[in-house]
Amino acid sequence: LAIVLDGGRGGRAAFEAVRDALKQVGGQGGLGVWIAYDGAIEVAKTNGGHLEGIIGAMGGPISTFAGGHDPVPALEAAWDWAAQVPGSTVLWVHGPQPVLLGGAYGITQRLERTWGTGTQLLDFQAGLGPNRIAREAAGIAGYSNVPRLGTVTEDLVRLLQQWTGATPHFVWQMERAETDPAPEPAASRHLVRL
C-alpha cells in the first residue's frame, strides 16, 4: 500500500486521520507514505512488518500545510514504488482539486499501461469540491473512488481493515447466463387479473 497525502491547506486533517487510522488498524505489510508538497516528499517506507512502525516516521515531515500543490509527482512516485508488487494499491487522500497544475498525463498513462498487474489507484477525497484529476482518470481500469460513509478517520479505518484482511470486502459481480430461464408455471387469466 502506498499512501499519497495532500500537502495543501486542507492536508493537515487528512494527515492526522491517516495516522489515527494506522494506529487503530494495525496489521502488517509493505507501506509507503508520500506527501504532495512542491513535488513529492517521501515520508516513510517499509517493505514489510507491522504498519504501526511507520507511524513514528510520520511525526512531522513538513512544518506547514499551506497553499495548493500538484499531486501528480507524488502519485507517480508512489505508483512506481507500489507497482513493483502485483496487486498493490495507491491510496490518494486529498481535498478538492479544482485546478490541474501540471496535467494528469503521467498518472493516467501509468494506469493504462499497468492494468495487467492489478495495481490500482483509490481516490479518497476528504472534502467536498471538484476533482479535475478524477475527470481525467475516470473510466480507466484500476482507478476508483472510495465511498464516503462516515468521518475521514472512520472511512480510512474501514478501508485499511479491508486492505489488511481484518474485515471482509464484498464486491458486486454481474454474470451473463448462457441458458434460458426456467419456464414459468402456467396460470389462468382470471388468476393473473387478481
Side-chain angles (χ1 to χ4, degrees):
L1 176 67
I3 300 175
V4 177
L5 297 162
D6 187 0
R9 189 177 68 205
R12 169 85 51 205
F15 182 80
E16 297 299 330
V18 167
R19 285 181 52 186
D20 292 345
L22 287 172
K23 286 178 188 175
Q24 291 180 37
V25 171
Q28 55 187 7
L31 176 67
V33 180
W34 285 261
I35 293 181
Y37 191 88
D38 289 341
I41 298 174
E42 182 181 306
V43 177
K45 194 166 40 172
T46 179
N47 289 325
H50 291 282
L51 300 182
E52 297 154 357
I54 208 164
I55 296 168
M58 293 176 64
I62 56 177
S63 59
T64 63
F65 286 79
H69 300 276
D70 185 5
V72 174
L75 287 169
E76 291 171 348
W79 184 276
D80 292 343
W81 176 77
Q84 295 174 19
V85 177
S88 58
T89 301
V90 176
L91 173 62
W92 177 34
V93 183
H94 63 91
Q97 300 293 316
V99 177
L100 270 176
L101 297 174
Y105 181 72
I107 195 64
T108 56
Q109 186 179 41
R110 283 168 172 80
L111 280 165
E112 291 168 348
R113 290 185 177 175
T114 58
W115 63 269
T117 65
T119 305
Q120 61 180 339
L121 173 62
L122 299 179
D123 186 344
F124 185 101
Q125 187 162 337
L128 298 174
N131 185 348
R132 295 287 305 264
I133 293 176
R135 281 192 214 159
E136 298 290 324
I140 299 175
Y143 172 84
S144 60
N145 291 312
V146 176
R148 296 296 317 277
L149 305 172
T151 66
V152 174
T153 303
E154 290 169 350
D155 288 345
L156 284 169
V157 167
R158 179 180 43 83
L159 181 67
L160 291 172
Q161 284 176 337
Q162 289 174 355
W163 181 78
T164 59
T167 59
H169 176 64
F170 300 101
V171 178
W172 289 98
Q173 183 175 2
M174 289 181 30
E175 294 181 6
R176 183 177 296 258
E178 296 295 329
T179 60
D180 291 333
E184 296 181 15
S188 71
R189 290 181 180 252
H190 180 68
L191 185 59
V192 170
R193 269 183 288 202
L194 289 176

